[in-house]
Each structure stands twice: as structure tokens, then as C-alpha cells.
Amino acid sequence: MIFIDQNNIQIPALGFGTYQLRDKACVESTERALRVGYRHLDTAEFYHNEAEVGKAMRNSQLDRKEIFLTTKVWPTNITKAKFMPSVEESLRQLNQDYVDLLLIHWPADDENVNRAAVDLLAECLHKQYARLIGVSNFSITQLEQALKQAPIVCNQVEYHPYYSQTDMLDYVNAHEMFVTAYSPLGQGNVVTDNTLKDIAANYNKSVSQVVLRWLLQQPNVSVIPKAASEKHQRENLDIFDFELNAEDMEQIFALSEKNKKYC
Ligand SMILES: NC(=O)c1ccc[n+]([C@@H]2O[C@H](COP(=O)([O-])OP(=O)(O)OC[C@H]3O[C@@H](n4cnc5c(N)ncnc54)[C@H](OP(=O)(O)O)[C@@H]3O)[C@@H](O)[C@H]2O)c1
């Protein structure tokens, strides 16, 4: 595993995404992910699965401190009146005293609302609802403003070979933050790419493995692929025994000319 260090907290760079996992299938899949070795879970109030993710954590019998847990506040709840009750409800659903990372899921259109929300996010640190705070889907301009107000450590954004995040990464690296790459497999769309298939064949790895490796070979990038099946979960975890060479890294960077977003 590769770890990202933030405020002396070691974050497993490879995590498990839970969007679209619901009910019993979510509990089973998340429990399986913890059993095969994932120690970083990504959920959100919007996913309606916080209770199931929390249940999987308890069922795993792992020490709470071994798991890095992220949740997010949905934009309709980032107003002054709704923010804290929404975070408290997430903690209640998760059946946890705290999350490791709390994010604003999407910025609001009104920058005054975003500014007020970042102050409330910072208050969650003082209330010990979260050990770290961050944002998601923020532009560089919005991130700049947020950083003036609070110790934001992360921006979670869509990032895969078909969509460049070079400018965001330059900004994040200059400010000692990290990016979490969501939809790292382009929601499954990149696995049929012929360039990626050729590269993968050279390393005797799958396309998913090569894409996740490409992301993790970039400094301060974390990834959270979602995979329901044990086969895919294990495959996505098995990426620490090889390294992509510079030429292959560049070939994958060049695929971003497709400029495709899935979210
Ligand atoms: N902050 C945000 O706004 C935001 C937005 C979107 C997503 N997210 C987070 O990011 C996570 C991941 O993104 P995502 O779910 O959109 O897409 P993704 O992880 O890029 O792709 C998931 C798809 O890829 C398939 N897959 C996984 N491993 C595979 C493998 N080894 N070989 C072939 N196919 C494979 C999965 O199928 P199976 O499930 O059948 O294995 C699923 O259909 C989400 O679960 C969520 O936690 C955050």
C-alpha cells in the first residue's frame, strides 16, 4: 500500500468507493472489501448507504483506528441551519463518533453559501466530528477561497485517463494537499481502451490495474474504485508489485485528449 501523510494521519492511497451499493449488497460488498484488505472507505449521505457501511465496519471486527472513513455533506444541506444536523445524522447512520475525512460533496452556485459552509466544515474539526476536512468538485478558484478559511486537505474530483486534472494537481501539490480520484475507471468505460489494453499486456496486468497504478504513481493522488465483486476488489488491490515506466505513464496522460467526463 502507498500512504498519503496529512497532519501525521496515514491515509491508504487506495480506497473503496461505495456509490450505488445499497442495502444488504452494500454491507456484504463493503465487508468483503475490508476482508480482502481495503482500509479506506468512501461514502456520502447522498449514497443512502452510510448505515450499511457502518455495519460492515462493525462486522469486520477491525479496530476503528485501522479504517480511514470518508463521508460527504450534500449541497442542499450546506446552509447554516442544516449543516451540523446533517453531519450529526451521518454519524448517527454510520454509528460512529467521528469520520476521518469530511467533505462538502459539491459546491453551491452561490459563493457566499460555499464560504459559510467552509466555516461550518472547520467547526466539525473542533467538535471532533472529523479528523480532516476537504471538499469535492471544487474549482481551483473555489479551493483557493476555501484554503484561506480552513485547513482543507483534499479535493475529491473525477480523474481517470480520459479526463485531465493536471492544473488541479499542480495546485494541490503546491499547497500540500491531495486529490482523491473518483470514477478512476471512468465508471468502467476505460477498461475496453485499446492503448490501455496494449500497455496492460506488457505488464501482464489488467487495464484496471494499469489505470489505478498510473493514478497512484502520481504524487498526492488517492483512488477509490468501486467494485462489487470479490474478483474485481482483489484485482484492484493487486497493484503494488509493478511500476509503469515513464513512457507508458506519458501514453496514458495523452489519452486525456478525449476529455470525457462521466459524472
Ligand atoms: N465526489 C463525487 O462527486 C463522486 C462522484 C462519483 C463517484 N464518487 C466516488 O468514487 C467511487 C468510484 O467511482 P464510480 O463508482 O463512479 O466509478 P469507477 O470506480 O470508475 O467504476 C466502477 C465500475 O467499474 C467496474 N469495475 C471495478 N473494478 C473493475 C475491474 N477490475 N475490471 C473491470 N471492471 C471493474 C465496476 O463493476 P463491479 O462493481 O461489477 O465490479 C463498476 O461498474 C464511487 O463509488 C464513490 O465512492 C464520488
Side-chain angles (χ1 to χ4, degrees), residues 16-20 42-43 47 72 103 105-106 136-137 156-157 181-189 191 206 208-209 224-229 231-233 235-236 263:
F16 181 68
T18 66
Y19 183 42
Q20 287 174 334
D42 183 83
T43 182
Y47 301 170
K72 319 184 189 82
L103 307 178
H105 204 145
W106 285 86
S136 179
N137 299 299
Q156 184 177 129
V157 292
Y182 77 66
S183 304
L185 305 173
Q187 300 189 341
N189 285 290
V191 299
S206 72
S208 302
Q209 289 172 323
I224 45 168
K226 173 254 173 190
S229 68
K231 180 181 177 291
H232 285 166
Q233 288 179 358
E235 188 178 315
N236 296 346
C263 218

